[in-house]
């Protein structure tokens, strides 16, 4: 029992001694730590300061290289000129469309008056006295190879037809002139916009009232902008009234004379075979003519034939006037289209001149 107690006592002492030794080691480590941390902090601070000084030194020593100047972008003059040319072309097309609508409205407005005047002319040409004279003139022309029947019908019908056709022609002329001015303004607008690309605007142009521009203003405006004024002579004369007199009037008299010859063929042949026509010379003896016709042809026959002649004449005059109106309409349209093409050529010349000038100035 004594040995057991002694062993237990020795083991406990050893355990206590180990615990004391471990406590001493832990205390030694805890006392050593505060001494290591300040050293590492000083080293870190010194290293950081050295790196910052090195960076600052290099920044001072290396010269700053400035970025090279960028070249200014080139102006696309070709694109700008093309844009303005396309705008002018659209203005031209819109002007032509407006002209076509206006021209159609003008023709429709005059239709009723042309029909009314044609009926009045037919009624006047188919009176008893007019038919009597016409039969004699038709016989005269057959014998003498003349055209007095056409002259007679012209004198009877023209006072009714001419004013209506001339009124139509005047309105058509006015519309064509308005279209011409629209193209002039479009051309000057193009020239002004193109000149502005090179800062060549002229104060004289800005003072021009494009709404009241005349042909002379048009020339002066282009000349002030530096463009060749000789190429302005694009307008081609058009006169619908003159067109009627030169082309359609003769057609009218020939057609209605043919109607009269067909309607009064037997009477004309009978009168042409008589001595009255063959003996006539100089101014026509109308009284004697009517007496001869009265013998050869009863008043009833004249009355019956002239009513049928009036109906045929209304149809013939109506058809011929309609052809003249349509022809005048088409002639005006053809002229307008040709005029638009010529102004397009002028505008193309202006665009080419501008591009050439700007290209030389930019090179």
């Amino acid at each position: 029992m004594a040995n057991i107690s002694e062993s237990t006592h020795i083991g406990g002492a050893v355990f206590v001694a180990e615990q004391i030794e471990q406590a001493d080691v832990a205390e030694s480590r805890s006392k050593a730590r505060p001494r290591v941390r300040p050293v590492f902090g000083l080293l870190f601070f010194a290293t950081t300061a050295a790196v910052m000084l090195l960076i600052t030194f290099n920044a001072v020593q290396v010269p700053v290289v400035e970025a090279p100047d960028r070249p200014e972008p080139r102006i696309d003059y070709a694109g700008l000129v093309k844009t303005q040319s396309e705008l002018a072309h659209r203005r031209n097309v819109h002007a032509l469309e407006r002209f076509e609508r206006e021209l159609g409205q003008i023709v429709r407005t005059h239709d009723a008056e042309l029909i009314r005047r044609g009926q009045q002319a037919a009624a006047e040409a188919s009176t008893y006295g007019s038919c009597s004279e016409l039969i004699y003139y038709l016989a005269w022309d057959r014998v003498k190879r003349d055209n007095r029947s056409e002259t007679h019908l012209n004198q009877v019908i023209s006072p009714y037809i001419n004013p209506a056709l001339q009124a139509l022609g005047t309105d058509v002329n006015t519309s064509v002139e308005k279209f011409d001015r629209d193209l002039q303004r479009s051309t000057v607008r193009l020239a002004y916009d193109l000149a502005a690309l090179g800062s060549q605007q002229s104060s004289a142009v800005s003072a021009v009232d494009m709404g009241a521009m005349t042909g002379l203003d048009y020339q002066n405006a282009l000349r002030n902008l530096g463009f060749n004024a000789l190429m302005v002579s694009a307008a081609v004369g058009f006169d619908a009234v003159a067109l009627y007199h030169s082309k359609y009037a003769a057609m009218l008299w020939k057609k209605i004379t043919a109607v009269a010859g067909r309607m009064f063929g037997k009477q004309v042949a009978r009168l042409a075979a008589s001595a009255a026509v063959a003996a006539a010379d100089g101014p026509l003896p109308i009284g004697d003519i009517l007496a001869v016709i009265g013998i050869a042809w009863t008043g009833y026959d004249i009355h019956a034939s002239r009513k049928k002649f009036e109906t045929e004449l209304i149809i013939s005059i109506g058809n011929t006037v309609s052809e003249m109106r349509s022809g005048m309409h088409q002639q005006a349209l053809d002229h307008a289209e040709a005029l638009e093409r010529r102004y397009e050529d002028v505008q193309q010349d202006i665009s080419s001149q501008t591009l050439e000038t700007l290209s030389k100035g930019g090179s």
Side-chain angles (χ1 to χ4, degrees):
M1 292 296 292
N3 291 335
I4 293 172
S5 297
E6 185 178 357
S7 298
T8 302
H9 179 73
I10 294 171
V14 172
F15 175 77
V16 172
E18 289 176 356
Q19 291 296 319
I20 293 172
E21 182 179 359
Q22 290 178 2
D24 291 339
V25 171
E27 183 178 357
S28 299
R29 289 179 179 175
S30 63
K31 290 180 179 180
R33 283 176 186 168
R35 297 174 185 171
V36 176
R37 288 179 180 175
V39 173
F40 281 108
L42 290 174
L43 288 175
F44 177 76
F45 176 77
T47 303
T48 304
V51 172
M52 294 298 294
L53 289 173
L54 182 61
I55 292 174
T56 305
F57 177 78
N58 291 333
V60 172
Q61 293 298 320
V62 178
V64 177
V65 180
E66 296 182 358
D69 294 337
R70 294 183 179 178
E72 295 184 0
R74 294 180 60 85
I75 300 176
D76 183 13
Y77 287 122
L80 294 174
V81 171
K82 181 181 179 182
T83 298
Q84 295 301 331
S85 298
E86 290 174 348
L87 289 174
H89 174 70
R90 285 198 289 271
R91 287 195 299 266
N92 299 341
V93 171
H94 292 161
L96 182 59
E97 291 172 349
R98 287 194 302 270
F99 169 75
E100 291 175 349
R101 290 194 298 269
E102 182 177 293
L103 184 63
Q105 181 61 37
I106 289 173
V107 172
R108 289 189 294 271
T109 300
H110 285 268
D111 274 348
E113 181 65 10
L114 287 170
I115 293 172
R116 187 179 73 84
R117 291 289 187 138
Q119 292 173 346
Q120 290 178 339
E124 183 66 24
S126 59
T127 61
Y128 181 89
S130 176
C131 286
S132 299
E133 292 184 49
L134 179 59
I135 291 171
Y136 180 81
Y137 290 133
L138 287 169
W140 173 277
D141 291 344
R142 179 177 294 186
V143 173
K144 302 293 185 177
R145 305 294 180 184
D146 206 345
N147 60 352
R148 292 191 180 184
S149 56
E150 291 184 18
T151 302
H152 167 72
L153 289 171
N154 186 358
Q155 292 174 345
V156 173
I157 293 176
S158 289
Y160 296 94
I161 296 295
N162 281 358
L165 287 173
Q166 288 179 353
L168 170 61
T170 298
D171 287 348
V172 170
N173 288 342
T174 300
S175 184
V176 170
E177 292 170 0
K178 179 182 176 182
F179 174 62
D180 191 10
R181 289 194 299 272
D182 287 342
L183 294 178
Q184 288 180 0
R185 286 192 292 269
S186 176
T187 304
V188 172
R189 181 75 266 170
L190 172 65
Y192 185 81
D193 291 339
L194 290 177
L197 296 178
S199 300
Q200 303 170 9
Q201 303 98 314
S202 172
S203 59
V205 177
S206 60
V208 173
D209 180 8
M210 291 189 181
M213 181 174 291
T214 66
L216 183 59
D217 295 329
Y218 171 47
Q219 293 180 353
N220 289 338
L222 290 183
R223 188 179 297 111
N224 290 338
L225 287 167
F227 296 106
N228 185 3
L230 294 177
M231 62 184 173
V232 178
S233 58
V236 179
F238 177 82
D239 188 348
V241 176
L243 181 66
Y244 156 66
H245 287 293
S246 63
K247 183 176 181 179
Y248 296 115
M251 178 180 68
L252 173 63
W253 313 133
K254 290 184 181 301
K255 286 191 174 183
I256 61 179
T257 300
V259 172
R262 186 178 69 252
M263 292 293 302
F264 305 130
K266 293 181 179 180
Q267 291 77 13
V268 170
R270 186 185 307 163
L271 186 60
S274 70
V277 175
D281 191 15
L284 297 179
I286 300 299
D288 295 339
I289 292 170
L290 295 180
V292 172
I293 293 176
I295 295 173
W297 197 15
T298 65
Y300 175 80
D301 291 335
I302 293 176
H303 178 74
S305 296
R306 75 177 186 83
K307 293 304 294 183
K308 185 177 180 181
F309 176 59
E310 180 179 359
T311 300
E312 291 288 332
L313 206 56
I314 289 174
I315 296 173
S316 181
I317 291 176
N319 290 339
T320 305
V321 169
S322 178
E323 290 179 20
M324 288 189 290
R325 179 201 60 198
S326 299
M328 193 180 297
H329 187 183
Q330 188 60 49
Q331 289 281 338
L333 286 177
D334 293 343
H335 171 79
E337 290 174 356
L339 194 61
E340 194 268 342
R341 288 192 297 269
R342 297 195 64 175
Y343 271 100
E344 288 276 358
D345 292 340
V346 172
Q347 293 168 4
Q348 183 59 44
D349 288 341
I350 292 175
S351 298
S352 299
Q353 287 186 37
T354 300
L355 184 57
E356 181 180 359
T357 301
L358 293 175
S359 298
K360 290 179 179 179
S363 60

